[in-house]
Amino acid sequence: MKPEMNGAESLARTLLASNIDTCFANPGTSEMHFLAALDKVGSLRCVLGLAEGVLTGAADGYFRMRGQPACTLLHLAPGLANGIANLHNARKAGSGIVNIVGEHAIHHLQHDAPLTADIAGLARPMSHWVRTSASSHEVAADGAAAIHAAREGAGRIATLILPADASWGEADSVACAAASEPRPDVTAEALADAARSLRRSAAHEPTVLMLGGDALRAHALEWAGRIAARTGCRLLAEGQNARMERGAGRVKIDRLPFDVDGAVAALAGVQRIVLVGAKLPVAFFAYPGKPSLVAPPDCEIVTLATADHRLDAALEAVAHELDAATTPPAHVAAHRPPGMPANSGGGISDRIAAVIAAHLPEQAIVVDESVSLGRGFFPPTSEAAPHDWLNSVGSSLGYALPVAIGAAIAAPQRKVVALVGDGSAMYNLPALWTMAREQLDVTVVILANRAYNVLRGELAKMGGPEPGRVARDMLSLDRPALDFVALAQGHGVPGRRAVTLDAFSKALAHSIAEPGPSLIELIV
């Protein structure tokens, strides 16, 4: 007789009882019982992805916009391995995810079947919490523990390994994840140190208030703007950040430059840096004869709060400490006139950004993996309609298309615009198919320079000889050139190609006006 409820169903019901209602899935044989359970419980949305990097990236994007974890369903060790790059990105971004990874039945592992491998060993470097369910009676409690772990702090990666016999065996309970501990407030000592440091900025001792994590949301930025207006400190964001609320009417903030020379120049002469949800600024890579730490050697580093603290409350407390609570915030972005045409001046990056800024709708979500070309997009878009800007904190390529899926599912009422280099887009191209299947409101802009252009610049920075034929060949994407319009259409997404900025402007306006997925290949 079949059990009334098996382990897989107890897990599915535990997910729903704990308010996990979305699963990004690519199941295999060992996950069939869980798949059947999803069908049985009915109200958990299951989104199919054709590659596991799509699933883990989508779960990352979902958390960034919803602030609650989704789950993934991955097939054994190879399925997890395929998703690890975007788990790296999610971990760096502070995203909470519950990974459910199928495993062979426990008694079958001894035979070393073809797909047998060390799942826990693969999971640990990219997970904060890893557990294998020992029996079907423990699955519900293990699932609740995984959900609780994913909700800790700013967000964590939890990986639950689910053996097939723990799925099909009889279960007798459903669990609910324990409530998460509230994020802590900063200590009185940290608050006093930060206020003291910021007062020195008013005394002509250059100080930077460096923000990351939730300190880059609009309300927190408003407090930071008041502090800057009172003290004269500079506001600076980490170069890579998970989500920034920006645009007209919001406090405008620059990012630390990507390149080491630019970062060193941006911090030259700074006497202290107050960190709020940000990490110590370091060079992206090591280069011969250049520093790893980009702040001046004698710069004082003061940590007000880590990403796990209540950052909005921390900045509010500092503002009160400095008598800045009612001070009008500095650096508020002006309102761009509606329909403002693209600026004809500046370089190609500025002109592309001006087109984007002119067409971004209110409350759009921009997912940015434009890599080298897009480093110049930030200032020209600062006065666009209010929007969220998501970029790759971990910088493993192939992040934007999957994250756009998760963002669109988490915030279906908002337009998502994904800016992606052609090389990056190829890492998780099957994301287009999921966009088409789910009819997600995503506009994909492929910036096609037909090269790994960022690496050409990195090669030059190494100070070696002029690259020869082999090096140049490894950094080019021609012979043949990729046809993204055909690739999009093959995945069920309408595609257009633009070779001029005027054509791009018209294509972008059309794409944003039409609901559903679309792709524009901009030849640059």
Side-chain angles (χ1 to χ4, degrees):
M1 179 182 296
K2 289 184 178 179
E4 186 172 318
M5 180 171 66
N6 61 21
E9 186 180 338
S10 76
L11 177 56
R13 294 193 181 281
T14 293
L15 291 168
L16 285 170
S18 305
N19 296 316
I20 304 292
D21 60 6
T22 303
C23 179
F24 298 101
N26 187 285
T29 302
S30 55
E31 296 81 51
M32 287 297 102
H33 287 84
F34 185 73
L35 195 65
L38 292 176
D39 206 31
K40 188 173 181 180
V41 301
S43 54
L44 197 151
R45 181 177 184 178
C46 201
V47 179
L48 178 63
L50 303 184
E52 289 86 351
V54 174
L55 310 178
T56 52
D60 178 9
Y62 182 94
F63 183 88
R64 295 193 198 198
M65 297 310 303
R66 183 69 66 88
Q68 289 291 329
C71 70
T72 67
L73 180 61
L74 308 172
H75 182 45
L76 298 170
L80 173 61
N82 287 340
I84 278 179
N86 270 333
L87 286 179
H88 161 81
N89 287 332
R91 182 180 175 114
K92 293 287 187 179
S95 292
I97 298 174
V98 177
N99 295 310
I100 299 167
V101 185
E103 172 63 292
H104 291 299
I106 298 297
H107 67 268
H108 194 63
L109 290 173
Q110 62 182 315
H111 302 297
D112 193 25
L115 282 169
T116 303
D118 182 2
I119 299 176
L122 284 169
R124 284 191 188 98
M126 301 304 169
S127 305
H128 300 85
W129 181 99
V130 180
R131 182 180 297 175
T132 301
S133 286
S135 79
S136 57
H137 295 286
E138 298 178 19
V139 169
D142 291 342
I147 296 163
H148 179 75
R151 289 174 172 159
E152 288 184 343
R156 303 284 190 267
I157 309 294
T159 300
L160 176 62
I161 301 167
L162 186 62
D165 50 346
S167 281
W168 71 54
E170 184 176 5
D172 49 19
S173 65
V174 173
C176 183
S180 301
E181 293 292 325
R183 292 206 214 177
D185 287 313
V186 298
T187 65
E189 182 182 7
L191 176 60
D193 286 347
R196 190 180 307 113
S197 296
L198 290 160
R199 285 191 186 98
R200 290 178 183 173
S201 186
H204 308 291
E205 297 181 20
T207 300
V208 166
L209 187 60
M210 182 166 284
L211 309 177
D214 288 351
L216 295 171
R217 304 293 176 85
H219 194 249
L221 285 171
E222 191 171 319
W223 289 115
R226 290 190 172 105
I227 293 166
R230 171 66 72 178
T231 66
C233 72
R234 284 174 54 202
L235 302 181
L236 196 61
E238 290 182 300
Q240 310 296 113
N241 45 77
R243 178 181 172 187
M244 184 187 295
E245 294 181 352
R246 60 195 300 267
R250 293 173 171 172
V251 171
K252 182 166 53 175
I253 182 170
D254 292 329
R255 297 183 298 188
L256 186 70
F258 168 86
D259 64 292
V260 62
D261 293 333
V264 169
L267 297 176
V270 170
Q271 295 186 17
R272 64 192 53 80
I273 297 173
V274 178
L275 301 175
V276 186
K279 295 180 180 178
L280 181 69
V282 301
F284 211 90
F285 296 106
Y287 300 96
K290 295 186 179 182
S292 292
L293 299 177
V294 297
D298 58 350
C299 180
E300 179 187 2
I301 305 296
V302 178
T303 299
L304 171 63
T306 70
D308 286 338
H309 284 96
R310 292 177 60 221
L311 302 184
D312 192 339
L315 288 165
E316 180 181 1
V318 172
H320 280 281
E321 187 76 11
L322 296 170
D323 296 321
T326 59
T327 302
H331 314 304
V332 175
H335 285 266
R336 173 187 293 272
M340 182 177 177
N343 182 3
S344 59
I348 183 63
S349 180
D350 288 340
R351 287 178 283 154
I352 293 172
V355 173
I356 294 167
H359 293 296
L360 270 187
E362 191 95 7
Q363 298 304 319
I365 301 166
V366 179
V367 183
D368 179 17
E369 195 177 18
S370 49
V371 197
S372 54
L373 185 65
R375 289 179 194 157
F377 287 175
F378 220 62
T381 56
S382 64
E383 297 175 2
H387 61 276
D388 287 17
W389 196 284
L390 284 54
N391 70 7
S392 179
V393 185
S395 292
S396 180
L397 296 183
Y399 124 96
L401 297 181
V403 165
I405 290 172
I409 289 174
Q413 74 284 5
R414 300 174 65 176
K415 189 79 177 187
V416 178
V417 178
L419 308 174
V420 196
D422 47 1
S424 300
M426 292 303 295
Y427 279 72
N428 277 306
L429 196 66
L432 294 174
W433 182 87
T434 299
M435 292 178 191
R437 178 182 242 224
E438 299 291 325
Q439 279 301 290
L440 302 178
D441 198 9
V442 180
T443 294
V444 176
V445 177
I446 303 292
L447 301 157
N449 56 22
R450 294 176 177 167
Y452 288 123
N453 211 41
V454 64
L455 295 181
R456 288 177 173 173
E458 292 299 308
L459 188 62
K461 289 178 189 176
M462 292 301 172
E466 185 70 21
R469 182 188 60 81
V470 173
R472 290 196 306 270
D473 205 42
M474 291 299 99
L475 303 181
S476 64
L477 299 178
D478 54 10
R479 304 197 332 268
L482 294 161
D483 184 343
F484 279 94
V485 173
L487 290 166
Q489 291 170 347
H491 285 80
V493 173
R496 298 179 181 84
R497 180 175 293 109
V499 296
T500 67
L501 286 177
D502 183 59
F504 174 52
S505 181
K506 291 175 181 176
L508 188 58
H510 183 275
S511 181
I512 285 175
E514 292 291 324
S518 61
L519 179 144
I520 302 166
E521 182 182 22
L522 174 60
I523 307 299
V524 294

